[in-house]
Amino acid sequence: MLRLDSGDIKTLQNAVRQASKPVVISHVNPDGDAVGSSTAMLSYLLSLGKDARIVLPSEIAATLSFIQDEESAARTLTAEGHKIEATALISAADLIICVDFNTLSRLDAVGDMVRSSSAVKVLIDHHPGPERDAFDLVFSETEVSSASEIVFWILKALCGGADRLPGRSPYALLCGMTTDSNNFGNSTFPSTLEMASELIAAGVDREDILAHIYNSYRQERLRAMAHVLGKMKITDNGVAILTLSEKENRDLGLQEGETEGFVNLPLAALDVRLSIFARQNIDAVRVSLRSKRGTSCNEIAHRYFHGGGHVLASGGKIFIPQDVKNFSSVEDYIKRVTDEYFAEN
Ligand code: 5GP
Ligand code: MN
């Protein structure tokens, strides 16, 4: 259950009042929750007349850009695209508000910039195991749908009601909650439904959000889905393995973000308890994991894929050549490590 400390909210309010150059930061490959929660926090800071910015380690996928309005998009920049400017903003910041990640390692190179900054640092997150030492103030709660949900309850307290949330924040928060809960499919708590109810009552157009999230893809995504599901393997332990190489990605004409959600599809099969999607990237093989109740995919992500996350939704990486000799060996690697895990658990 979400329990916010009114003293912590007061501390945040004071830190915001005193700040003149606040920066909001979220994780690498930002998902809907990262974009939604950071955009909402930016709107709040702007409503107080602050010269606020969002700095992200990497670009927002085109499929998620609808979450921002013109003003928030203009105030968002990435370290990937504008390294010098991003570095300057972080080093000049007097307040850094981090949303939707638990450790600075989730920021890649931006993590070190934040660590060495002398700004007041605030973390608002819903993942287990927050790196408390790196922050002055931490709002951490795992029994919620999303970071957007925690930001909602904080902003509601600060603004005096859900109908008084500023600018793009109501829309952005409902987007973040909807994507992280997979449209109320997982991580949905009483507080999640209350939040949705209050935002819809405040006028947020949920149908518009659903149309953007679920019915606005290019055909290429559907064809890629068919391709990836067509060659899916399911092990005797009920582990579904999906893979996509760089070449397949290119041949299918996919853009960044267009394989979002593929990992959830195999869970529709009764005998699948864990789904793993491995896709080849420039630096490493990115791995997404989703499990059904009774299987902790974050343990598997931590143990075999240099990652972590939530109990039922996690991620990590497979490194070539440290973990496997090439991408063709990824499927065997996943089968071997999950066989080992399920032999022990
Ligand atoms: P996705 O599969 O959507 O990329 O990630 C699902 C969840 O896994 C994220 O919300 C995040 O909590 C976690 N996650 C993804 N990638 C990583 C990673 O490389 N390291 C850690 N620690 N967590 C990750
Ligand atoms: Mn999240």
Side-chain angles (χ1 to χ4, degrees):
M1 200 182 82
L2 180 62
R3 269 172 257 98
L4 286 175
D5 185 297
S6 55
D8 285 349
I9 291 181
K10 197 86 209 154
T11 306
L12 174 62
Q13 189 171 38
N14 287 332
V16 169
R17 276 196 188 132
Q18 284 164 24
S20 59
K21 294 203 164 303
V23 169
V24 184
I25 292 182
S26 196
H27 59 80
V28 69
N29 302 318
D31 58 4
D33 190 28
V35 179
S37 57
S38 57
T39 299
M41 193 45 80
L42 176 79
S43 291
Y44 173 66
L45 295 167
L46 295 178
S47 75
L48 299 176
K50 305 291 175 180
D51 181 17
R53 298 294 193 96
I54 294 174
V55 175
L56 299 169
S58 54
E59 301 295 334
I60 298 174
T63 48
L64 295 174
S65 60
F66 76 92
I67 297 173
Q68 297 200 305
D69 58 4
E70 218 170 291
E71 184 178 36
S72 45
R75 287 187 165 269
T76 299
L77 88 177
T78 67
E80 187 179 42
H82 299 87
K83 185 150 192 258
I84 294 168
E85 213 181 337
T87 310
L89 278 170
I90 292 172
S91 61
D94 47 8
L95 173 65
I96 294 178
I97 301 180
C98 293
V99 291
D100 196 34
F101 64 89
N102 53 356
T103 64
L104 292 178
S105 62
R106 296 277 289 131
L107 301 180
D108 287 355
V110 173
D112 287 334
M113 300 180 204
V114 173
R115 204 181 291 284
S116 59
S117 150
S118 58
V120 173
K121 293 168 208 165
V122 180
L123 174 67
I124 303 174
D125 183 46
H126 68 126
H127 296 89
E131 184 180 357
R132 291 186 185 274
D133 292 352
F135 297 92
D136 300 291
L137 177 63
V138 174
F139 294 87
S140 168
E141 175 59 61
T142 55
E143 302 270 292
V144 289
S145 58
S146 54
S148 295
E149 184 176 330
I150 310 176
V151 171
F152 168 81
W153 293 107
I154 292 173
L155 293 190
K156 184 186 163 186
L158 289 171
C159 301
D163 54 344
R164 298 171 69 168
L165 298 184
R168 191 67 166 177
S169 67
Y171 185 89
L173 291 172
L174 195 60
C175 288
M177 183 269 270
T178 304
T179 53
D180 250 30
S181 74
N182 201 5
N183 195 19
F184 304 102
N186 54 260
S187 328
T188 300
F189 296 83
S191 55
T192 313
L193 295 164
E194 281 169 35
M195 164 191 179
S197 164
E198 293 191 26
L199 286 175
I200 293 166
V204 179
D205 186 347
R206 188 173 122 82
E207 281 177 26
D208 176 74
I209 291 175
L210 294 182
H212 275 292
I213 299 175
Y214 299 109
N215 297 334
S216 298
Y217 288 106
R218 300 183 315 135
Q219 291 183 20
E220 282 81 349
R221 171 178 157 92
L222 291 183
R223 299 195 192 285
M225 213 179 252
H227 172 79
V228 167
L229 284 178
K231 63 188 188 110
M232 168 181 66
K233 294 277 160 30
I234 300 180
T235 73
D236 292 344
N237 282 309
V239 179
I241 306 173
L242 305 177
T243 59
L244 187 68
S245 69
E246 267 193 311
K247 180 172 187 316
E248 287 172 304
N249 194 78
R250 222 176 17 253
D251 291 348
L252 289 160
L254 288 173
Q255 295 172 357
E256 191 59 39
E258 286 191 317
T259 58
E260 189 68 39
F262 281 20
V263 65
N264 295 307
L265 300 170
L267 294 181
L270 180 65
D271 51 0
V272 169
R273 58 173 153 176
L274 171 66
S275 169
I276 301 183
F277 177 34
R279 57 202 180 285
Q280 190 178 21
N281 257 6
I282 321 153
D283 59 331
V285 178
R286 278 195 44 78
V287 180
S288 283
L289 301 94
R290 299 291 184 273
S291 56
K292 289 182 182 162
R293 231 191 285 194
T295 300
S296 303
C297 66
N298 56 357
E299 268 180 38
I300 298 167
H302 180 69
R303 191 160 150 189
Y304 302 110
F305 303 117
H306 315 277
H310 307 282
V311 176
L312 304 181
S314 325
K317 285 176 179 165
I318 298 173
F319 292 106
I320 298 172
Q322 292 88 333
D323 299 317
V324 295
K325 67 175 191 306
N326 53 41
F327 188 74
S328 322
S329 318
V330 159
E331 201 174 275
D332 286 343
Y333 176 80
I334 295 173
K335 181 175 182 318
R336 182 165 58 76
V337 299
T338 55
D339 281 351
E340 176 184 302
Y341 179 82
F342 286 112
E344 293 170 17
N345 291 276

